[in-house]
């Protein structure tokens, strides 16, 4: 639980709000106990028909405790939820800042749906931690202690019996509940992430699944994941019921002890009623402990999954004192070693010289490391050895954002957002005029198409650009890249999902639209590139001549 508390620690003004919630919770629970105790005394005393003035204080106390219970419970709920959501917001801010450091290379090993589950469902465990674990346990312990102290005043032996019951309810019952539910609770977070990942991937690949008649297999796999989650939740529910049963036994035992001990003691009838009935009020006070014990295991598992993401090795180390961006735009790669696993480098000894304004085609089979090279060039990934020089300065000495202001990337999966063409373009240059947007579209050979649409720039493109063809989506992404005005354009398999004729035309248009910019094309289909960039195979080791138009990854 220490890891969970560390990840969800309160900051600033949140701590006083949690303290207020704790105080209000104790007062609300204490009012509930006092209400039952006072009511028991009042009813038994009134049965003897004493003078009404004898009952006046008790009558006022019953009213006060009844109103106070509702009032303090409202204050507790308000303060607790306010504090918990503040902690959740602070936690999300820390996680978002960390994800910015890790993306995209540091998150490549996680399935998108599982990552989404960690960042939404698992992070929400922060709310359960404070609202259903920490605060209920503290309120139960403090209120139970106060109740024991009250009963000790009336009859010490009965107070001791209730103290034993409270101790069992606060220690043994949560431990038993947690022990019986531990396996189920630990598996729920992972199973929930698996279901989310399967659902996300199924929705994203629905068209392909239907086209290849794999619907039954996909649904069967999804059903199996859902069944595992349902089984874990059933085991968790059984443990919760078992824990509640044990709690009722503890409370009932305390009430029975008051009955037995009080009947043999020299006490009045009203005090006897207080000893018997007051422990029953603890059922509500201690009732959240079994659920808190279960949730503690689930919260620990959920926040541990979030912590795994945060503990991921940072793929790029930003310099403490970055050098200013050089004026030169030549790219030079020297003896580059890089990859995602230190024990298995993807790139070894890669050399490449790209003068400013040149066209270079880097070829290699799928899996040869072309995308890894793109990540290194854009400072998404730190090389293990060698250098990447921009204008004669090692990019590791430059701020990543500065490097990416010069080097832009177009991938085979460049994301198109479910909004208008205008909004998709404005991501690259917020506030750009329509004239700039149209210029970029015409440079990408998409202007006439957009102009023919009834709504023009305000045309909605659909989810992932579903209302556009594959070539149109890539041209829109390229127009966005041109609008950002990078000096070096890295094109990573931009025609991967296109037919040969469309791919060849698109590449010719991309190279032509690049103008004075440097273009580095990463592809396993170099035959589709324009004639002036015919690839030349370079074996592993030697440095390519600066005039060679292309190189091949080893």
């Amino acid at each position: 639980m220490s890891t969970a508390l560390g990840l969800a620690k309160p900051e600033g003004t949140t701590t006083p709000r949690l303290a207020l919630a704790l105080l209000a919770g104790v007062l609300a629970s204490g009012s509930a106990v006092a209400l039952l105790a006072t009511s028991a005394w009042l009813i038994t005393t009134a049965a003897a028909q004493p003078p009404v003035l004898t009952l006046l204080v008790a009558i006022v106390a019953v009213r006060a405790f009844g109103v106070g219970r509702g009032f303090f419970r409202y204050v507790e709920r308000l303060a607790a939820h306010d504090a918990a959501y503040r902690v959740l917001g602070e936690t999300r801010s820390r996680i978002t800042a960390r994800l910015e450091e890790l993306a995209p290379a540091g998150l490549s090993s996680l399935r998108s749906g599982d990552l989404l589950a960690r960042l939404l469902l698992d992070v929400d465990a922060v709310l359960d931690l404070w609202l259903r674990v920490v605060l209920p346990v503290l309120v139960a312990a403090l209120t139970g202690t106060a109740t024991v102290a009250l009963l000790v005043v009336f009859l010490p032996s009965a107070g001791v019996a209730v103290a034993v019951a409270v101790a069992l309810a606060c220690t043994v019952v949560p431990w038993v509940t947690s022990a019986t539910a531990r396996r189920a609770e630990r598996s729920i977070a992972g199973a929930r992430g698996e279901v989310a990942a399967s659902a996300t991937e199924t929705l994203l690949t629905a068209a392909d699944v239907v086209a290849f008649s794999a619907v039954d297999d996909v649904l069967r796999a999804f059903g199996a994941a859902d069944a595992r989650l349902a089984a874990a939740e059933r085991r968790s529910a059984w443990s919760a019921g078992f824990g509640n049963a044990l709690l009722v036994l503890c409370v009932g035992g305390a009430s029975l002890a008051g009955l037995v001990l009080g009947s043999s003691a020299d006490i009045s009838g009203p005090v006897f009623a207080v000893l018997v009935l007051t422990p029953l009020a603890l059922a509500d006070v201690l009732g959240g402990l079994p659920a808190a014990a279960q949730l503690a295991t689930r919260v620990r598992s959920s926040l541990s999954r979030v912590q795994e993401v945060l503990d991921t090795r940072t793929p790029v180390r930003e310099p403490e004192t970055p050098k200013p961006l050089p004026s030169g735009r030549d790219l030079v790669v020297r003896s580059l070693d890089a990859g995602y696993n230190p024990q298995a480098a993807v790139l070894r000894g890669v050399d490449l010289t790209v003068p400013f304004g040149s066209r270079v085609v880097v070829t290699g089979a799928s899996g040869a490391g072309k995308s890894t090279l793109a990540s290194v060039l854009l400072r998404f990934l730190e090389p293990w050895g060698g250098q990447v020089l921009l204008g004669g300065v090692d990019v590791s000495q430059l701020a990543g954002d500065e490097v990416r202001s010069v080097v832009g990337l177009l991938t085979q999966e460049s994301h198109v957002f479910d909004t208008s063409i205008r909004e998709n373009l404005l991501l690259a240059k917020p506030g750009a005029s329509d004239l700039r947007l149209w210029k970029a579209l015409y440079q990408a050979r998409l202007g006439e198409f957009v102009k023919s649409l009834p709504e023009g720039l305000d045309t909605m493109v659909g989810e992932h650009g579903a209302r556009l063809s594959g070539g149109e989506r890539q041209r829109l992404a390229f127009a966005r890249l041109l609008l950002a005005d990078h000096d070096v354009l890295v094109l990573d398999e931009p025609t991967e999902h296109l037919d040969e004729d469309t791919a060849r035309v698109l590449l010719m248009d991309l190279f032509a639209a690049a103008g004075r910019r440097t273009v580095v094309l990463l592809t396993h289909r170099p035959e589709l590139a324009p004639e002036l960039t015919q690839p030349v195979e370079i074996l592993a080791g030697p440095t390519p001549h600066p005039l060679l138009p292309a190189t091949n990854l080893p």
Side-chain angles (χ1 to χ4, degrees), residues 440-474:
L441 288 172
Y442 272 99
Q443 286 179 315
R445 299 293 180 90
L446 195 63
E448 290 298 331
F449 167 75
V450 175
K451 189 176 181 180
S452 67
L453 298 173
E455 298 182 33
L457 290 173
D458 295 318
T459 301
M460 303 298 290
V461 299
E463 187 176 4
H464 299 288
R467 298 178 183 176
L468 305 176
S469 68
E472 290 163 353
R473 282 196 298 272
Q474 284 298 80

Side-chain angles (χ1 to χ4, degrees), residues 100-345:
E100 186 179 2
E101 299 174 357
L102 295 175
L107 304 175
S108 58
S109 62
L110 293 173
R111 298 165 69 185
S112 58
D114 184 43
L115 179 60
L116 184 64
R118 293 180 190 232
L119 300 183
L120 295 179
L121 301 178
D122 289 335
V123 173
D124 281 347
V126 169
L127 295 177
D128 289 333
L129 174 64
W130 290 107
L131 296 178
R132 299 180 178 87
V133 178
V134 176
L135 289 176
V137 168
L138 293 177
V139 168
L142 293 175
T143 307
T145 302
T147 304
V148 169
L150 172 67
L151 296 179
V152 166
V153 172
F154 291 118
L155 184 63
S157 59
V160 171
V162 174
V164 172
V166 170
L168 291 175
C170 291
T171 57
V172 176
V173 172
W175 181 83
V176 172
T177 305
S178 177
T180 56
R182 185 173 294 117
R183 182 177 179 183
E185 293 296 336
R186 286 178 176 174
S187 62
I188 282 177
R192 192 167 50 190
E194 184 180 355
V195 169
S198 297
T200 302
E201 291 167 2
T202 300
L203 291 174
L204 293 177
T205 60
D208 294 331
V209 169
V210 173
F212 286 95
S213 301
V215 175
D216 292 338
D217 293 337
V218 171
L219 291 180
R220 191 179 301 112
F222 180 78
D226 183 64
R228 287 190 290 272
L229 175 59
E233 290 179 336
R234 282 195 299 271
R235 292 195 300 270
S236 174
W238 181 90
S239 299
F242 182 63
N244 288 328
L246 292 179
L247 182 66
V248 171
L249 286 177
C250 290
V251 173
S255 181
L256 183 61
L259 176 65
V260 173
L261 296 173
S263 61
S264 60
D266 184 17
I267 57 177
S268 64
V271 172
F272 178 68
V274 170
L275 293 177
V276 175
L277 296 179
T278 299
L280 297 180
L282 293 175
D284 181 60
V285 176
L286 305 177
L289 293 180
Q294 278 189 281
L295 282 172
T297 303
R298 186 183 303 184
V299 165
R300 185 186 297 111
S301 177
S302 293
L303 295 186
S304 294
R305 282 165 43 83
V306 177
Q307 192 65 48
E308 287 176 8
V309 177
L310 302 185
D311 290 340
T312 303
R313 184 180 64 88
T314 304
V316 175
R317 296 184 300 274
E318 290 288 339
E320 293 184 5
T321 307
K323 288 188 175 181
L325 193 65
S327 58
R329 295 295 182 262
D330 294 345
L331 267 178
V332 178
V333 178
R334 294 178 180 170
S335 305
L336 178 66
D337 295 338
Y340 301 93
N341 186 345
Q343 282 70 43

Side-chain angles (χ1 to χ4, degrees), residues 28 137 146 266 406 424 438 507 525 553:
V137 168
D266 184 17
V406 174
N424 270 284
W438 281 112
L507 283 178
R525 297 194 294 176
L553 289 178

